[in-house]
Amino acid sequence: MRATITGHHPWGLVAELHGYEPVGASLDVIRRGGEPGVRRLAQELPPVGATVDLVIGEVRTWHREPWIWVDLTAPC
C-alpha cells in the first residue's frame, strides 16, 4: 500500500494511505520493532512527505474521527 508520511512521533510514524485518505494510519515502531521490515525502516525513518510502500497489519474501529484506523507494518 502506498502511503505518504505525515508525521513522526517517539513511538513511530503517521501516514496517509493513497486512495484511503478518510482513514487514519500509523506504524508503531516500538510495538512492531521486532519485525524485520520495521526494524530496517526504523534505522532510517522516511522523512515527512516521503511516499513509501507499507503493509496493512490490522484495521480497527477508532473512538473518534477518523472512525477507522489502520495499523501499518513494513514489508520484509
Side-chain angles (χ1 to χ4, degrees), residues 3-33:
T4 299
I5 307 305
T6 58
H8 290 156
H9 297 276
W11 49 263
L13 54 86
V14 179
E16 182 177 282
L17 303 178
H18 294 202
Y20 298 92
E21 288 78 6
V23 304
S26 61
L27 191 154
D28 188 330
V29 173
I30 294 171
R31 189 167 48 81
R32 291 189 174 267

Side-chain angles (χ1 to χ4, degrees), residues 14-73:
V14 179
E16 182 177 282
L17 303 178
H18 294 202
Y20 298 92
E21 288 78 6
V23 304
S26 61
L27 191 154
D28 188 330
V29 173
I30 294 171
R31 189 167 48 81
R32 291 189 174 267
E35 299 172 12
V38 174
R39 191 171 33 247
R40 243 185 338 273
L41 183 74
Q43 291 174 353
E44 190 172 322
L45 285 177
V48 171
T51 299
V52 296
D53 288 318
L54 296 171
V55 177
I56 294 175
E58 179 184 357
V59 177
R60 61 182 187 264
T61 58
W62 194 241
H63 59 277
R64 61 176 183 227
E65 283 191 60
W67 301 110
I68 298 172
W69 199 267
V70 177
D71 181 25
L72 298 167
T73 187

